[in-house]
C-alpha cells in the first residue's frame, strides 16, 4: 500500500522525482546544469595546468630582464 501511494504521488508530480516525470523540462534543465558544471571543472583544470606549465617554463628559463623589479 505504501509503495502504491509513493508511485501515485510521483505520477501526480509530487516531489522531485515526480516533478521530473511530469515536466521533462526539469530533466533537461538539470542535465544542462550538470553539463555546465562538468565543463567548468574541465576548464578550471586546463587553466591550472596552463598556469603550472607557465611557472615551470619560467623557472627553467631563469629570470628575464623584463622580470626585474
Amino acid at each position: 500500500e505504501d509503495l502504491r501511494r509513493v508511485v501515485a504521488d510521483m505520477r501526480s508530480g509530487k516531489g522531485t522525482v515526480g516533478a521530473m516525470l511530469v515536466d521533462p523540462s526539469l530533466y533537461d534543465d538539470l542535465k544542462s546544469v550538470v553539463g555546465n558544471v562538468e565543463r567548468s571543472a574541465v576548464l578550471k583544470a586546463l587553466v591550472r595546468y596552463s598556469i603550472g606549465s607557465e611557472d615551470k617554463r619560467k623557472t627553467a628559463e631563469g629570470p628575464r630582464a623584463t622580470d626585474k623589479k
Side-chain angles (χ1 to χ4, degrees):
E1 182 59 35
D2 289 340
L3 184 57
R4 288 175 199 235
R5 259 188 259 141
V6 169
V7 171
D9 286 347
M10 287 181 359
R11 285 185 177 165
S12 68
K14 291 183 181 176
T16 304
V17 174
M20 287 175 54
L21 289 173
V22 174
D23 186 358
S25 70
L26 293 175
Y27 169 78
D28 293 334
D29 291 344
L30 180 61
K31 193 167 81 171
S32 175
V33 166
V34 170
N36 288 337
V37 167
E38 289 175 0
R39 279 191 292 277
S40 179
V42 169
L43 182 59
K44 284 181 186 177
L46 286 172
V47 169
R48 288 183 181 139
Y49 174 79
S50 175
I51 290 170
S53 295
E54 180 72 19
D55 290 344
K56 288 178 185 175
R57 193 172 74 239
K58 283 182 180 179
T59 302
E61 292 175 354
R64 297 182 194 164
T66 58
D67 291 341
K68 292 182 183 176
K69 294 182 182 177

